[in-house]
Amino acid sequence: ALSAPASSRHTSSIGAQLDACRRAMLGGAKHGLTHIKESMKDFDIEQGPSFLRFLGFMTSFASLAVAIVKMTGIRTAVRHPVMYILYGYIALFAASTMLFESKHEWIEKISALNRYQDMLIRHCSFMTSMAGRGVFYIFQATLWLSFSDSLEEILQIVCAAVLGFIGVLHIFAHWGLMPHHLATKAILSAEKMTGRDLDGDGKTGQ
């Protein structure tokens, strides 16, 4: 039997080596992506006391709701398109902030929200810090103030005031300037008013 030419065997050997290199590179890339995804899941998101998370979540929810109500006005979109776009920004910012005040276990159950939060962690890492979110709350407050050209804009003024207050609390809590006994008193008073267990200790107002 005739053996294959030496040049053919050499070409086959080079092809096999290139194929092995390609598989190795693809395997390394997949391993790297997996490691990045696992690292993202373990990324530390700084959160304050439960009552502060609750206040931050509800304040962001209120800001989102008011922005959506403002966006339902067709006249606003036609007469003031720039304001309409700003309302959209505020709604997006509020919804994004809510993710970082929620329990991560809740977010993981909804894949779309989980991917969106991972993207924010990667590109807007300041959101993982209480000080960063505090400044972001204050920024959202200034956006609401830009619409408040008179005392008749009561919703905008209230949103701005509460967002600014929550922002300052987050900054204080980040630097440990918020006394724990004040936090405890605040949550107990809120539990007595709402009749709900807000701090997850199984007790209401105690």
Side-chain angles (χ1 to χ4, degrees):
L2 297 176
S3 60
S7 60
S8 177
R9 292 197 300 272
H10 182 65
T11 302
S12 300
S13 175
I14 293 176
Q17 292 177 6
L18 290 175
D19 187 58
C21 289
R22 181 181 60 82
R23 289 197 299 268
M25 291 174 65
L26 288 176
K30 290 180 179 178
H31 177 73
L33 288 174
T34 302
H35 177 71
I36 290 174
K37 289 181 179 180
E38 291 176 351
S39 298
M40 293 295 296
K41 299 302 179 185
D42 295 333
F43 202 98
D44 185 26
I45 298 176
E46 182 186 18
Q47 291 183 323
S50 55
F51 90 100
L52 187 56
R53 296 202 310 269
F54 175 76
L55 290 178
F57 183 91
M58 294 306 298
T59 300
S60 297
F61 178 78
S63 179
L64 172 64
V66 173
I68 291 175
V69 169
K70 292 293 182 180
M71 291 174 68
T72 57
I74 304 301
R75 288 193 306 172
T76 302
V78 175
R79 296 174 57 186
H80 305 287
V82 175
M83 291 178 60
Y84 194 83
I85 293 173
L86 285 176
Y87 285 135
Y89 286 153
I90 291 175
L92 177 63
F93 294 160
S96 299
T97 310
M98 289 168 63
L99 295 180
F100 289 88
E101 301 297 356
S102 305
K103 290 184 177 180
H104 190 61
E105 297 79 21
W106 300 348
I107 306 301
E108 285 183 330
K109 294 179 181 179
I110 306 176
S111 59
L113 292 180
N114 195 31
R115 289 195 301 270
Y116 179 62
Q117 188 183 52
D118 288 345
M119 184 195 70
L120 291 177
I121 291 173
R122 188 165 59 252
H123 297 291
C124 307
S125 58
F126 67 89
M127 294 286 285
T128 63
S129 164
M130 289 183 63
R133 287 200 305 280
V135 173
F136 194 52
Y137 277 119
I138 295 173
F139 170 70
Q140 293 175 69
T142 61
L143 290 181
W144 276 119
L145 284 177
S146 67
F147 298 113
S148 308
D149 54 0
S150 68
L151 292 178
E152 295 179 359
E153 306 290 347
I154 186 65
L155 283 178
Q156 288 89 327
I157 294 174
V158 170
C159 282
V162 178
L163 282 168
F165 177 69
I166 295 297
V168 171
L169 288 183
H170 271 72
I171 294 173
F172 282 176
H174 172 76
W175 295 107
L177 300 178
M178 180 181 289
H180 290 290
H181 70 277
L182 292 180
T184 303
K185 287 183 178 180
I187 190 61
L188 291 179
S189 297
E191 286 183 346
K192 290 178 180 179
M193 292 177 60
T194 61
R196 299 175 58 186
D197 177 19
L198 301 178
D199 55 3
D201 62 354
K203 302 177 182 178
T204 303
Q206 298 181 9

